[in-house]
Amino acid sequence: MAVSWLNQWFRPSSKAPSDGEISLKDMGAGHKAKILRLSGDDATAHRLREMGFRESALIEKNTDNGAIICKVAQARVAISKKLAQNIFVKDMGRVKNSMSEDLVLLSDMSVGQQGVIKDFTADNDDYERIVEMGVTPGEHVEIIRYAPLGDPIEIRVRGYLLSLRKAEAERIKVSVIN
Amino acid sequence: MSTITIPDSEPVSVIKTVALAGNPNSGKTTLFNAFTKLRQKVGNYPGVTVEKKSGTLVLAGDRVVNVIDLPGTYSLAVRSPDEQVARDVLLGRAADTPKPDMVVCVVDAGNLERNLYLVTQIQDLGIPIVIALNMMDEVERSQKSINIKKLSQMLGVPIVPTVAHQNKGIEELKKVIASGVKVNYTRGWRMAPDLEEDVDHLVRLLTREGMNKSEAFAEALVFMSQWPKLKNEEKATDPLKRFYKQELISQINAIQERFIAKGLRAKTAAIEARYDWIKYVIKESVKDLSKKGPDLTERIDAVLTHKVFGWMFFLGIMAGMFYMIFTVASYPMDLIDSVFGKLGEWAASLLPDGDLKDLIVNGVIAGVGGVVIFLPQILILFLFIGLLQDTGYMARAAFIMDRVMSKVGLHGKSFIPMLSSFACAIPGIMSARTIESPKDRLITILVAPLMSCSARLPVYAIMIAVLMPAANAFQKAGIMLIMYLVGIIGACVMAWFFKATLLRSQKPVFIMELPPYRLPSWKTVLFHMWERSGLFLKRAGTVILAMSVILWALMTYPKHPNLDEAQALQMSYAGQMGTAMEPLIKPLGYDWRIGIGLIGSFAAREVFVSTMSIVFNLGDEAEEGTLHEAFSSAKWPDGQPLFTPLVCLSLMVFYVFAMQCVSTVAVVWRETNSWKWPLFQFVYMAILAYLAALAVFQVGRWLGFS
């Protein structure tokens, strides 16, 4: 993973984007965009079109950590940064209620607060355990209580009660409802 | 309870083996007990510390079916030994375990969403499934209604509503097992197109190697979500390696590279897709009219995890448990003691004098008695643990205590084993089974015997009496308390040390379900006690018996019929070992006589007192008073007093740290399923004890104490 990241960092971009054009990779998360053109070889472009990245399609870039998650035709699709470099779009600005707005860490929420899980911080490999317990993006969470000594936290998710340490909750980004 | 929905099922093959799968707290064990009654066998899966429970189910017409109780897991990902075992058994890869012909998925009807997640994973494996929709009584009491027919149709799985602890639905389940179920499964969930494509590719690769399609799909998902797993350098430790050839591995690695390039989302794509599908299924089949206010569980929790009342309740429960283990258990323990004493006398009166009589009376009967005497404490502890677990309070205790335990790198659930070890390390170590993380469990097992158990009490008592004969009870209790504290601090330091060095793991995720409070099922609790105590007596008992006989032989042979008891003991192997040990233990301030006491204590610490009575010629049944007088007047050959205050302290500290307990060694062997850990534990504790006692004696002398 580190190697591909380095490659991307050092490789000069093959074609400079023209005015108003920006690669999906470089566009900020939480922005809406219209696809202008696809670059790269035919196979790549074909594959992107299959995934829904067609010219003039409207997409939303949700997250940008490690991989890029986009909303394409109502589906959430993950693509690598490398692929995203081949997609040139017109940035249509920030989406309202976008994923990257007003996100707080689950560990910073107070008792009784509710929210929708949006994202995980990318620096850890080990969070599938949490996701498997049903803490998935899009799910509703509620902070039920903190343990008497302040840690761990008890939350309600998918209709049951779950406790996790603050260290784990710090990896979960939530958009607060109340 | 009468609705059974079996969509066009027809028997595929005759069911011989059934596996029970399900989340923890889904009532799986209760169902297993209802199925198998007392026809159960508990053992270990070969090579791992995961407990294997199996039994037999009798169907109509006396047909007998094997039942395997898989470990309770939330998932079939292969991240923990439990999950690995569950997966291996279901795929027919576990040694000594037949591939199940059918899986009974136990699903908590009150927690459908998360429970169905495991069901979708098992469905991928292509094994016939029936769902036991358990705890239906709770759903019926709430304002919720489940359209079982619809749910069954959507999942493509027959569903039998059950209330396992009331034996409801068991007969219906048996009928389904008797008739068999056809696999009727089409995957309802989809991931992003690019991921599906790569998974397809993997499936094609694996099916070409002869794997069937569903198994290949399940494996492909593992490769997608756990990419570092099949890296070449890790292959040596990967249990899957025996199933793949090198070229296939490199092909798989190539695809895994693509997943890695897709970033973290490839890891969780399947999880999210499954949950999306489950959400849809539930929306279509469940009507939830319950009010969203705090339910009973939350109202109870508001008190039991309260900043003040929570602690009071917790301390009350722990104090009650402690009281029961220490005082109430002493009555049956005295009874067992006297029964074995009588048995010894009776055997002694029947047998002719000689080695055989000595072996039977002092080796076998005393050895077995020494084991059985722990039984009341074990039963009481497991009664408490069973109740705490079955009601759901155990998770709350861990929730409250986690902050404290995490300071030294332990899990909230390590608390019960540590506390129980104050009574006796044996049940404490056995209760560490409730800790899911294998490393946390191992650390807990390794440090639990550092807590001062009740067998150390007689040793502390006599040493304190020698140390300060004139002190009042309050001062004596103070010294005793210091010894307990030394043990606690030692346990914390060692736990922290192991966590930081030997058993370092990348910060494990602490995530724990807080199950709803439920009335305990007495049947389940009693089963639990019966099973634990049976295991203790059977497995540990054999080892302890053997060790007792060995120790007896060491202290008896070679025979010197002409000498008196004390001299004979000095000339025995144990005595020779004590004499040989003297140079080693002299820096601690001990002579060979104390050396013999230390060796004898290996059978059990309290044996120190009776061994020392023999050494000092007081006979077996010496009163504590006379022994402590003998200690006070004991001298080195040069006339210096032996039991100086420093030696008493040093000896007590030695007893705090040393693992002088055959039973504990045997139990650790059983619980870790290898000799490596008990040996390691014995050695580290011996070194710790030696160094600590040395430090007390030498530093004390250097400071000018005697």
Side-chain angles (χ1 to χ4, degrees):
Chain A
M1 194 149 184
V3 176
S4 68
W5 176 80
L6 278 175
N7 282 343
Q8 279 172 34
W9 190 262
F10 289 113
R11 192 172 43 208
S13 96
S14 52
K15 207 191 279 179
S18 54
D19 269 352
E21 235 182 52
I22 184 171
S23 89
L24 182 60
K25 173 181 166 281
D26 298 327
M27 186 178 77
H31 286 226
K32 216 158 97 177
K34 187 175 176 180
I35 297 182
L36 296 175
R37 65 183 177 86
L38 305 173
S39 73
D41 56 83
D42 282 355
T44 311
H46 179 73
R47 207 161 131 225
L48 283 170
R49 285 193 191 96
E50 266 189 352
M51 288 160 68
F53 292 96
R54 296 190 172 85
E55 282 84 348
S56 80
L58 286 176
I59 58 166
E60 230 175 80
K61 181 171 172 180
N62 295 341
T63 50
D64 189 354
N65 41 36
I68 290 168
I69 317 272
C70 290
K71 209 161 139 194
V72 185
Q74 303 308 311
R76 279 158 56 85
V77 178
I79 60 170
S80 66
K81 287 191 173 169
K82 210 168 140 192
L83 262 182
Q85 274 183 325
N86 293 311
I87 304 170
F88 290 95
V89 297
K90 185 171 189 286
D91 191 345
M92 295 168 73
R94 206 160 247 286
V95 195
K96 257 189 217 155
N97 299 324
S98 141
M99 305 267 171
S100 51
E101 263 175 35
D102 308 326
L103 292 191
V104 298
L105 298 177
L106 185 64
S107 53
D108 292 336
M109 288 169 69
S110 47
V111 173
Q113 263 194 327
Q114 300 181 22
V116 176
I117 300 159
K118 289 298 179 188
D119 200 4
F120 290 83
T121 54
D123 59 349
N124 205 301
D125 275 357
D126 192 38
Y127 70 106
E128 303 133 82
R129 173 77 62 206
I130 303 176
V131 184
E132 283 203 296
M133 297 296 281
V135 186
T136 58
E139 260 313 297
H140 189 268
V141 280
E142 182 184 349
I143 306 283
I144 301 298
R145 64 172 53 83
Y146 285 77
L149 297 175
D151 196 14
I153 307 173
E154 180 180 344
I155 62 169
R156 190 207 305 280
V157 65
R158 293 194 188 266
Y160 78 101
L161 301 172
L162 186 67
S163 86
L164 44 136
R165 284 189 188 149
K166 273 188 167 174
E168 266 88 56
E170 275 167 10
R171 303 180 196 173
I172 304 169
K173 292 184 194 164
V174 181
S175 144
V176 175
I177 295 174
N178 60 345
Chain B
M1 287 301 124
S2 55
T3 6
I4 321 170
T5 333
I6 308 171
D8 312 321
S9 65
E10 54 184 69
V12 192
S13 61
V14 179
I15 307 291
K16 288 191 189 123
T17 305
V18 172
L20 282 181
N23 284 185
N25 310 310
S26 63
K28 193 168 63 67
T29 308
T30 313
L31 187 66
F32 178 69
N33 291 339
F35 267 179
T36 59
K37 305 283 183 339
L38 290 171
R39 300 178 301 272
Q40 299 187 1
K41 244 172 58 191
V42 185
N44 266 0
Y45 286 96
V48 282
T49 57
V50 178
E51 190 165 74
K52 176 182 178 175
K53 277 169 84 174
S54 58
T56 52
L57 163 66
V58 181
L59 299 174
D62 286 340
R63 240 180 86 194
V64 175
V65 175
N66 269 328
V67 186
I68 304 166
D69 190 21
L70 294 175
T73 59
Y74 294 107
S75 153
L76 283 187
V78 285
R79 268 178 253 101
S80 74
D82 278 10
E83 290 170 354
Q84 180 81 56
V85 161
R87 192 183 182 86
D88 283 350
V89 170
L90 289 174
L91 288 173
R93 289 174 178 176
D96 305 342
T97 309
K99 183 175 158 79
D101 309 300
M102 186 180 189
V103 181
V104 178
C105 289
V106 187
V107 165
D108 175 1
N111 191 354
L112 265 184
E113 238 174 286
R114 206 207 51 229
N115 276 254
L116 285 179
Y117 176 78
L118 180 69
V119 174
T120 66
Q121 285 187 321
I122 297 172
Q123 280 188 305
D124 286 347
L125 304 179
I127 309 171
I129 291 180
V130 56
I131 289 179
L133 195 59
N134 201 17
M135 310 203 179
M136 278 302 284
D137 52 334
E138 288 174 22
V139 173
E140 277 160 15
R141 274 200 299 272
S142 69
Q143 299 291 97
K144 233 160 67 172
S145 72
I146 300 175
N147 184 340
I148 291 175
K149 200 166 172 196
K150 177 98 189 173
L151 188 62
S152 167
Q153 270 171 6
M154 291 186 79
L155 295 171
V157 172
I159 296 178
V160 179
T162 58
V163 185
H165 66 95
Q166 293 170 10
N167 270 327
K168 283 187 187 159
I170 306 296
E171 289 309 313
E172 288 84 345
L173 260 181
K174 283 188 189 174
K175 275 181 207 150
V176 177
I177 293 170
S179 62
V181 176
K182 202 168 111 186
V183 180
N184 173 22
Y185 170 57
T186 39
R187 180 158 60 101
W189 51 274
R190 283 282 178 279
M191 299 171 290
D194 57 323
L195 294 173
E196 289 281 346
E197 200 177 289
D198 284 338
V199 167
D200 270 356
H201 191 171
L202 279 172
V203 170
R204 280 198 300 277
L205 282 176
L206 293 170
T207 45
R208 216 179 295 154
E209 294 294 315
M211 220 183 248
N212 74 45
K213 215 164 174 180
S214 40
E215 199 179 329
F217 178 74
E219 289 293 281
L221 289 185
V222 174
F223 295 136
M224 179 178 74
S225 58
Q226 292 172 41
W227 355 286
K229 260 282 138 83
L230 214 66
K231 283 275 176 60
N232 286 327
E233 67 268 21
E234 284 177 35
K235 240 179 27 231
T237 54
D238 183 22
L240 292 176
K241 69 175 186 292
R242 59 200 155 121
F243 299 102
Y244 299 115
K245 286 187 243 145
Q246 184 54 48
E247 60 191 279
L248 181 61
I249 288 175
S250 32
Q251 280 172 307
I252 289 170
N253 278 338
I255 300 174
Q256 283 188 304
E257 286 302 319
R258 292 227 289 280
F259 287 130
I260 292 167
K262 283 176 182 125
L264 292 175
R265 287 293 150 172
K267 283 195 150 182
T268 52
I271 307 175
E272 287 177 35
R274 284 180 209 276
Y275 269 117
D276 283 350
W277 157 244
I278 291 166
K279 198 134 209 161
Y280 169 68
V281 169
I282 286 177
K283 208 182 110 209
E284 295 289 305
S285 58
V286 179
K287 259 204 210 108
D288 189 355
L289 299 171
S290 56
K291 275 175 255 136
K292 285 286 177 256
D295 57 10
L296 184 63
T297 288
E298 266 168 78
R299 285 202 297 268
I300 297 174
D301 262 345
V303 179
L304 294 193
T305 58
H306 185 269
K307 276 193 173 86
V308 180
F309 304 118
W311 286 112
M312 282 164 61
F313 185 80
F314 176 74
L315 292 174
I317 287 274
M318 292 304 138
M321 185 171 95
F322 230 111
Y323 176 79
M324 295 277 284
I325 288 173
F326 261 127
T327 59
V328 177
S330 69
Y331 300 109
M333 284 170 87
D334 289 345
L335 189 70
I336 291 172
D337 198 30
S338 70
V339 165
F340 273 89
K342 292 261 161 53
L343 194 66
E345 283 168 29
W346 177 73
S349 68
L350 283 186
L351 292 163
D353 281 349
D355 281 8
L356 182 67
K357 174 177 166 174
D358 202 28
L359 172 67
I360 302 263
V361 175
N362 293 325
V364 176
I365 293 178
V368 172
V371 178
V372 175
I373 201 159
F374 292 119
L375 197 58
Q377 289 189 334
I378 290 180
L379 284 171
I380 289 176
L381 181 73
F382 280 101
L383 170 69
F384 266 88
I385 288 179
L387 282 174
L388 293 183
Q389 239 162 5
D390 222 43
T391 51
Y393 183 73
M394 185 69 103
R396 274 72 185 185
F399 180 69
I400 291 178
M401 281 306 293
D402 183 66
R403 181 65 193 269
V404 180
M405 303 306 284
S406 68
K407 288 275 183 222
V408 291
L410 288 172
H411 189 279
K413 287 187 180 171
S414 307
F415 184 72
I416 298 278
M418 303 285 272
L419 187 79
S420 318
S421 297
F422 279 126
C424 175
I426 295 164
I429 285 164
M430 287 165 78
S431 67
R433 282 189 179 245
T434 52
I435 304 165
E436 288 99 7
S437 151
K439 283 190 176 174
D440 286 354
R441 187 174 151 214
L442 193 54
I443 293 176
T444 308
I445 289 175
L446 286 178
V447 302
L450 291 171
M451 312 306 258
S452 284
C453 65
S454 52
R456 284 162 170 114
L457 273 174
V459 181
Y460 292 165
I462 186 114
M463 291 329 295
I464 290 173
V466 179
L467 176 69
M468 346 186 269
N472 61 31
F474 198 66
Q475 288 164 317
K476 286 179 177 173
I479 297 284
M480 190 87 94
L481 191 65
I482 288 171
M483 289 303 138
Y484 274 82
L485 285 176
V486 168
I488 295 169
I489 293 165
C492 290
V493 170
M494 290 316 291
W496 172 84
F497 177 74
F498 289 141
K499 192 81 181 177
T501 56
L502 197 63
L503 294 165
R504 187 166 45 194
S505 51
Q506 62 190 68
K507 223 171 153 204
V509 173
F510 169 90
I511 184 151
M512 182 179 65
E513 182 187 3
L514 294 167
Y517 286 107
R518 295 192 168 109
L519 282 176
S521 145
W522 285 103
K523 247 192 288 176
T524 308
V525 174
L526 292 176
F527 247 103
H528 186 70
M529 286 168 68
W530 175 79
E531 179 192 288
R532 290 295 130 202
S533 45
L535 275 177
F536 166 69
L537 286 180
K538 204 167 64 191
R539 301 291 289 276
T542 46
V543 179
I544 293 163
L545 177 61
M547 298 291 251
S548 313
V549 171
I550 291 172
L551 271 167
W552 166 84
L554 285 179
M555 292 172 74
T556 310
Y557 295 102
K559 300 277 275 185
H560 294 277
N562 304 328
L563 300 176
D564 70 14
E565 241 187 315
Q567 287 164 317
L569 183 58
Q570 190 187 352
M571 300 306 290
S572 71
Y573 292 119
Q576 291 170 25
M577 283 160 77
T579 314
M581 263 168 71
E582 203 180 274
L584 187 69
I585 55 178
K586 207 164 176 184
L588 314 182
Y590 312 160
D591 71 347
W592 63 269
R593 287 174 290 188
I594 299 181
I596 295 178
L598 294 184
I599 292 170
S601 294
F602 188 64
R605 292 177 179 92
E606 65 270 36
V607 171
F608 179 75
V609 178
S610 57
T611 314
M612 292 315 267
S613 308
I614 300 173
V615 175
F616 286 94
N617 255 338
L618 294 167
D620 235 338
E621 300 295 321
E623 291 295 308
E624 214 171 79
T626 47
L627 182 60
H628 114 237
E629 281 159 24
F631 275 5
S632 303
S633 55
K635 301 261 190 301
W636 285 94
D638 63 6
Q640 294 284 322
L642 175 60
F643 285 95
T644 63
L646 262 186
V647 170
C648 294
L649 278 179
S650 153
L651 201 56
M652 273 194 278
V653 167
F654 190 90
Y655 271 84
V656 169
F657 289 119
M659 187 167 164
Q660 294 160 300
C661 182
V662 186
S663 320
T664 307
V665 174
V667 167
V668 173
W669 162 70
R670 202 201 103 67
E671 292 295 306
T672 60
N673 208 15
S674 92
W675 278 113
K676 192 177 85 181
W677 289 111
L679 273 177
F680 169 76
Q681 185 175 26
F682 181 76
V683 170
Y684 105 75
M685 286 177 69
I687 293 172
L688 194 63
Y690 186 86
L691 292 180
L694 183 73
V696 167
F697 188 69
Q698 295 298 343
V699 173
R701 271 226 306 216
W702 181 70
L703 289 174
F705 295 101
S706 61

